[in-house]
Amino acid sequence: EPEVTQTPSHQVTQMGQEVILRCVPISNHLYFYWYRQILGQKVEFLVSFYNNEISEKSEIFDDQFSVERPDGSNFTLKIRSTKLEDSAMYFCASSPSGASYEQYFGPGTRLTVT
Amino acid sequence: AQSVAQPEDQVNVAEGNPLTVKCTYSVSGNPYLFWYVQYPNRGLQFLLKYITGDNLVKGSYGFEAEFNKSQTSFHLKKPSALVSDSALYFCAVRDVSGGSYIPTFGRGTSLIVHP
């Protein structure tokens, strides 16, 4: 069964550094998402991406964040200058359409900012 | 605006007993409702959804959920719990009439099934 993959599984970085989290969505899906989950807290939406552009974003997704689909398979989340409070589990998800379909989540990247 | 509430942080049940994980929602229009499960150090896995049709929805691993429009609830149920069902369960809602494709997730309920 096809699945969403994410790399790395764990990323440790120093405050102020740039990080890029990578995702490979399911190949025939059209909608892509990033969520984050701070330890013990709820899953929070960051951004959705469709047709090579951002379709929706939350207030969390400020100028420090960007997303890209550089080559038709990878979907990346970049954090330009990490802060301690960016430490969280970051999940990528994809869905075949936006309308009624459930989302398929990757295993997540645990980002630790020191 | 759309919102979802999971009133219980934790549910404890003995193996073999029925389980219920509660979820209530609020939307302006009609809801799309989802249940996801998260095992330790894993991503969320889709369990089941209500879009339209029968109020009783059956999903993976023997789980089912009942859509109750008058009570704005979508409780997750299983007739006989297994220890392996122990995990974090998330309810999610999306307003069909809203312009957003993004579901709102609840805070999650930790299900602990005791042997």
Side-chain angles (χ1 to χ4, degrees), chain A residues 65-114:
Chain A
F65 292 89
S66 63
V67 289
E68 202 174 40
R69 189 158 160 79
D71 57 12
S73 62
N74 289 283
F75 179 50
T76 62
L77 174 70
K78 182 193 290 186
I79 309 175
R80 287 189 183 81
S81 178
T82 50
K83 302 188 276 287
L84 293 175
E85 53 265 36
D86 293 327
S87 295
M89 197 75 167
Y90 287 81
F91 293 107
C92 173
S94 67
S95 63
S97 100
S100 63
Y101 284 87
E102 63 274 17
Q103 297 173 355
Y104 294 80
F105 284 76
T109 293
R110 180 169 298 284
L111 176 65
T112 302
V113 182
T114 61

Side-chain angles (χ1 to χ4, degrees), chain A residues 48-62:
Chain A
S48 63
F49 194 83
Y50 170 71
N51 201 25
N52 285 319
E53 61 182 25
I54 291 173
S55 50
E56 296 183 63
K57 61 182 181 178
S58 72
E59 58 272 14
I60 302 169
F61 193 87
D62 61 21

Side-chain angles (χ1 to χ4, degrees), chain A residues 33 35 42-46 48 56-59 98-101 103, chain B residues 1-6 23-34 36 50 72 91-107:
Chain A
Y33 314 85
Y35 291 85
K42 66 189 296 185
V43 175
E44 300 176 293
F45 167 72
L46 293 178
S48 63
E56 296 183 63
K57 61 182 181 178
S58 72
E59 58 272 14
S100 63
Y101 284 87
Q103 297 173 355
Chain B
Q2 57 192 35
S3 66
V4 63
Q6 294 180 243
C23 171
T24 58
Y25 67 89
S26 175
V27 294
S28 304
N30 290 317
Y32 289 160
L33 292 154
F34 307 84
Y36 289 83
Y50 171 82
T72 62
C91 181
V93 66
R94 183 169 91 74
D95 190 335
V96 175
S97 59
S100 171
Y101 284 161
I102 306 306
T104 297
F105 286 84
R107 298 186 64 85

Side-chain angles (χ1 to χ4, degrees), chain A residues 9-28:
Chain A
S9 57
H10 191 189
Q11 174 88 46
V12 181
T13 189
Q14 289 189 326
M15 194 168 51
Q17 296 297 303
E18 174 183 286
V19 294
I20 298 176
L21 310 183
R22 293 182 167 79
C23 167
V24 179
I26 294 173
S27 62
N28 62 346

Side-chain angles (χ1 to χ4, degrees), chain B residues 61-113:
Chain B
Y61 312 121
F63 284 93
E64 59 188 29
E66 185 166 13
F67 170 61
N68 187 317
K69 188 171 184 177
S70 62
Q71 296 186 3
T72 62
S73 67
F74 189 58
H75 301 331
L76 181 70
K77 300 183 180 186
K78 187 174 182 181
S80 178
L82 300 172
V83 172
S84 57
D85 293 330
S86 298
L88 195 54
Y89 290 80
F90 290 93
C91 181
V93 66
R94 183 169 91 74
D95 190 335
V96 175
S97 59
S100 171
Y101 284 161
I102 306 306
T104 297
F105 286 84
R107 298 186 64 85
T109 298
S110 177
L111 173 66
I112 299 174
V113 181

